[in-house]
Amino acid sequence: MKKLLLIYNAKSGKGLIKNFLVDIIDIFIKAKFRVEIYQTQKAGDATEKIAEYASEFDEVVVCGGDGTLNEAFNGLMKVEKTKRPVLGYIPAGSTNDFGNTLGLPKDMIKAAEIAATETPMEIDAGMFQDKTFAYVAAFGAFTDVSYQTPQDMKNMLGHGAYIIEGIKSLVSLRDYGLKCISDGRVIEGKYIYGMVSNSDSVGGFKNIPGLDISLSDGVFEVTLVKMPKNPVELNMIAGDLLSGKAESGYVIRFKSEKVTFEFDEKVAWTIDGESGGEYENVDITNVSGAIKIRTV
């Protein structure tokens, strides 16, 4: 019988996982898995448990938000690739950007059925310095919204919570002097926002990373946004971002396997919606086909 480790974050989203846990376990048992269960106790817990025990299992399934999925990626990347089990994901957070990109349903029972039965596909992972990320590393405007928004507000208002916090951050809009180096291309200037992503949805909005997104092409989508001079330009930037179109006068987009950022000062980053620390220099690399994940 195959062995499956189910790790869940009971605090993700509205905490609904507790209402479906018995049915989810039953799905895995019927799929001929012997199931072991673990409820996370603290931040980073999923990473620690997966890094230590994942090689003993045929599959690891995590249930939680994007932060929980990030912990799963970090744990799996600490396991030798030949011993790295398949990953299943049951989205249970407030936004679930990567779950949306994978086409996973919001219905936890249906997502569990996919995690139990669908054929896994290889997808890329990102290395941010010595950390792993699942789908996005970003700096600048609005990147602090996700991890500064109280969980209770996320649970009550969903996407509305992010919008409220985003409006608050407008008053502190500023730019960052940087040099971006990628595949011999050098971009220098001042930008209010930068993002390296492997997803077609960020912050609950599709197309912001661009169009023609593949999770397994060995490259990231890189997005840089210039400082608007007035509200009209700010509105044009929003339109360009949401349309997903190629480069405009305000938005630069390109694909890259590796990108380096050099800043004039320490700059705060978010990784998969969580605080990622402050850095003057950052190296971000795509690890092609690093994770096998079950999806539709």
Side-chain angles (χ1 to χ4, degrees), residues 95 142 144-146 148-150 152-172 203 205:
T95 302
F142 308 116
D144 59 350
V145 170
S146 180
Q148 286 190 0
T149 304
D152 290 345
M153 184 182 290
K154 292 181 186 178
N155 294 345
M156 181 172 61
L157 299 178
H159 287 148
Y162 293 98
I163 293 171
I164 290 170
E165 292 299 310
I167 290 171
K168 290 180 184 177
S169 71
L170 277 174
V171 298
S172 59
F205 296 97

Side-chain angles (χ1 to χ4, degrees), residues 26-99:
D26 188 56
I27 287 169
F28 294 131
I29 291 173
K30 284 183 168 62
K32 309 299 183 184
F33 284 102
R34 188 175 73 200
V35 184
E36 292 190 26
I37 311 163
Y38 184 79
Q39 177 179 314
T40 58
Q41 304 295 306
K42 59 182 180 179
D45 206 7
T47 293
E48 293 178 9
K49 293 298 180 291
I50 291 171
E52 186 172 0
Y53 298 110
S55 61
E56 301 174 13
F57 293 84
D58 299 286
E59 181 166 353
V60 172
V61 176
V62 292
C63 181
D66 292 327
T68 305
L69 182 66
N70 172 275
E71 291 191 17
F73 268 61
N74 273 275
L76 287 171
M77 291 297 285
K78 297 179 187 299
V79 178
E80 184 181 337
K81 188 172 183 180
T82 58
K83 298 179 181 179
R84 203 174 291 162
V86 170
L87 176 65
Y89 180 39
I90 303 174
S94 301
T95 302
N96 301 318
D97 277 316
F98 203 61

